[in-house]
Amino acid sequence: MNQGILGRIGMDSKMALGYIGVLFFMMGDGLEQGWLSPYLTSHGLTVEQSALLFSCYGFAVAIAAWLSGVLAEVLGPRKAMVIGLSMFVVGTLVFLIVGLPTMNLSVMIPTYALRGLGYPLFSYSFLVWLTYYSPAEKLGTAVGWFWFAFTGGLNVLGAYYSSFALPHLGEMKTLWSALIFVALGATIAIFLNKDDSNREKKFKSKQEAFLYLTKGITIAFERPKIGLGGIVRTINTAGAYGFVVFMPAYMMEIGFTRAEWLQIYGALWTSNIVFNLIFGIVGDKLGWRNTVMWFGGVGCAIFTAAFYYVPALLGPNYMASTLVAVCFGACLAGYVPLSALIPSLAPENRGAAMSILNMGAGLSTFLGPAIVGVFIGSTGTIGVIWIYTALYVVSAILMKFVNLPSSKEESQSTDLKAAL
C-alpha cells in the first residue's frame, strides 16, 4: 500500500528515507542563512567583509559540488556522503569555537569554507544516486522531490526554526543546535536508507578513477549544451544567495523587523519547495527546456525587480512583500527540470554531467554574494538588483540552446500536445 501511494507521487519507498535525511541535514546547514550576515555586521564586520566570507564559502561549495558527481561514482554515494558529513562537522566546530568568538576573518574564512565543502558532498551525492536509480519517465518528478527536501530544509525549516529559536537560545546556541539536525539527517540518509543495490561505477585502477574526475570538467567542453546548462544553474539561485547578504539590512531600513524579514524569507522558500514538485511534474509534461526558460528565467527576472520596488514604493507592507517573495520562490523552482535535462544529455556519463550542474549550484552561492561585495558600494541596492535581473534574462536566452536530441524532443512535444 505504501509503495503504491509513494509511487503515485513519484517517490520510490526505498529512497524515501534519503529524502527525509537530506531535509534534516539541510535544515542544520541553513538555519543561519537569513540572519548571520546582519549578526556579523553588528559585531564588527563590514558588509564587504561579510560578503567576502559568504563568497569564500560559496567558492568552497562550488568545488565540493563539482566533486560530488564524480566522487559519487568513484567512491559510491554513501562514502561521498560520509566524507561530506565529516567536513561539515569539523568546519562547524572550529568556526563556532574559535572563529565567531574572535571575529577573526583568517580563522572564520577557512573554517566556514570547510563547512561549505561538506553539504554538497552530502546532498548532491544523493542527487547523483537518484539520477541512476530513478526511471527516465519519472526523473523530473524524482529530482523535484529532492529539491523539495533540499530547499525545505535549507531555506524553509531552517529560517522558521531560527525565527523561534533566536529569542530563546540566542545566536551561538542556535548555531550549535545545527549539529543535532545534521547528525539526525546523516543517520537517516546514509545508514537507514533502504536502497542497497550496487550501482557504483567500477574502475580498474586509481589512474582510471582520476581520469574520470577530470571528466567532470571536460564534459562541459565536449558537450557544450551541458556547459551552458551549468551556467544557467549558476544564475538560478545567485540572486537568492545574494539577497541574504544585503536584503535584511535593506528591509529593516524600510521598516520591517528581523522576525518579519525571516518570515518573508521563509515564505519565499516555502513557495519554492511546493513549486519544486509542481515544476518537476510540469517539466515532464510540458518540456524541460521551456519550463526553465519561461517560468525560471523570465519569471525570476520579473520578481527580482519587484523584490526591490514593491517595498520601496509601498513601505513595510508585510503582505505585499510576502506575496512578491512567494512569486520569486515559485519562479526559482522553474529551474528544477535542469536536473533531469542535463544528465539526459549524457546518459552514459550522468555523474560527470551532474558534476557540471552541481558545480553551477555551488557557484551560485559564490556569485550571488560576490556581486554584492563588488557592486554594493558603487551601485547601491538598486544596482545589485538590476544586475541579478539581467542575469536571469541571460539564463532564459541561453536555454534556447540547451535542447535534447531530436527523438527525445519529439517525445516531449507529444507530451505537450497531450497535456494541452
Side-chain angles (χ1 to χ4, degrees), residues 242-265:
F243 282 170
V244 300
V245 178
F246 72 101
M247 284 300 286
Y250 171 69
M251 297 294 269
M252 283 180 242
E253 285 175 9
I254 293 292
F256 291 100
T257 66
R258 182 169 73 168
E260 286 175 329
W261 158 249
L262 286 173
Q263 289 163 12
I264 292 170
Y265 185 71

Side-chain angles (χ1 to χ4, degrees), residues 163-170 173-174:
S163 71
F164 295 111
L166 285 171
H168 302 287
L169 300 179
K173 288 182 179 177
T174 299

Side-chain angles (χ1 to χ4, degrees), residues 131 139 143 223 226 288 337-354 357 404 408:
T131 65
L139 186 54
V143 298
R223 304 194 180 190
I226 292 176
W288 296 332
L338 277 174
S339 296
L341 174 57
I342 298 306
S344 297
L345 292 171
E348 74 288 357
N349 282 301
R350 287 177 181 265
M354 285 301 296
L357 196 63
L404 289 168
K408 294 184 179 180

Side-chain angles (χ1 to χ4, degrees), residues 72-265:
E73 295 212 37
V74 173
L75 302 177
R78 290 184 193 273
K79 290 181 181 177
M81 292 168 75
V82 170
I83 293 172
L85 169 65
S86 302
M87 288 181 170
F88 183 92
V89 170
V90 172
T92 299
L93 288 174
V94 182
F95 181 72
L96 294 182
I97 294 172
V98 182
L100 273 183
T102 62
M103 283 292 163
N104 186 337
L105 275 179
S106 63
V107 177
M108 295 171 70
I109 287 175
T111 55
Y112 200 54
L114 182 61
R115 193 174 186 271
L117 288 171
Y119 93 72
L121 283 177
F122 181 89
S123 294
Y124 295 152
S125 293
F126 179 75
L127 178 58
V128 174
W129 195 352
L130 275 180
T131 65
Y132 276 104
Y133 185 86
S134 303
E137 68 275 8
K138 296 283 188 178
L139 186 54
T141 305
V143 298
W145 274 112
F146 168 81
W147 290 113
F148 177 93
F150 181 95
T151 308
L154 179 65
N155 302 113
V156 179
L157 293 181
Y160 282 121
Y161 168 76
S162 290
S163 71
F164 295 111
L166 285 171
H168 302 287
L169 300 179
E171 288 85 358
M172 290 300 294
K173 288 182 179 177
T174 299
L175 288 171
W176 275 109
S177 68
L179 292 174
I180 298 172
F181 297 109
V182 166
L184 177 61
T187 300
I188 295 172
I190 297 174
F191 304 110
L192 299 183
N193 196 40
K194 295 179 181 178
D195 179 38
D196 57 358
S197 56
N198 186 7
R199 300 175 187 274
E200 299 173 12
K201 194 174 184 73
K202 300 300 182 182
F203 299 93
K204 297 177 181 178
S205 66
K206 291 182 179 180
Q207 182 180 11
E208 185 178 341
F210 176 77
L211 288 175
Y212 193 80
L213 288 175
T214 65
K215 190 75 173 177
I217 290 180
T218 60
I219 195 170
F221 301 95
E222 296 166 2
R223 304 194 180 190
K225 291 178 184 179
I226 292 176
L228 290 177
I231 294 172
V232 172
R233 182 62 185 89
T234 301
I235 294 171
N236 175 193
T237 45
Y241 286 121
F243 282 170
V244 300
V245 178
F246 72 101
M247 284 300 286
Y250 171 69
M251 297 294 269
M252 283 180 242
E253 285 175 9
I254 293 292
F256 291 100
T257 66
R258 182 169 73 168
E260 286 175 329
W261 158 249
L262 286 173
Q263 289 163 12
I264 292 170
Y265 185 71

Side-chain angles (χ1 to χ4, degrees), residues 351-398:
M354 285 301 296
S355 284
I356 296 297
L357 196 63
N358 293 344
M359 181 169 63
L363 281 173
S364 71
T365 67
F366 164 76
L367 179 65
I371 288 172
V372 178
V374 173
F375 294 103
I376 193 75
S378 57
T379 68
T381 300
I382 189 171
V384 173
I385 287 290
W386 276 106
I387 290 171
Y388 291 142
T389 301
L391 285 174
Y392 284 122
V393 173
V394 168
S395 77
I397 294 171
L398 290 178

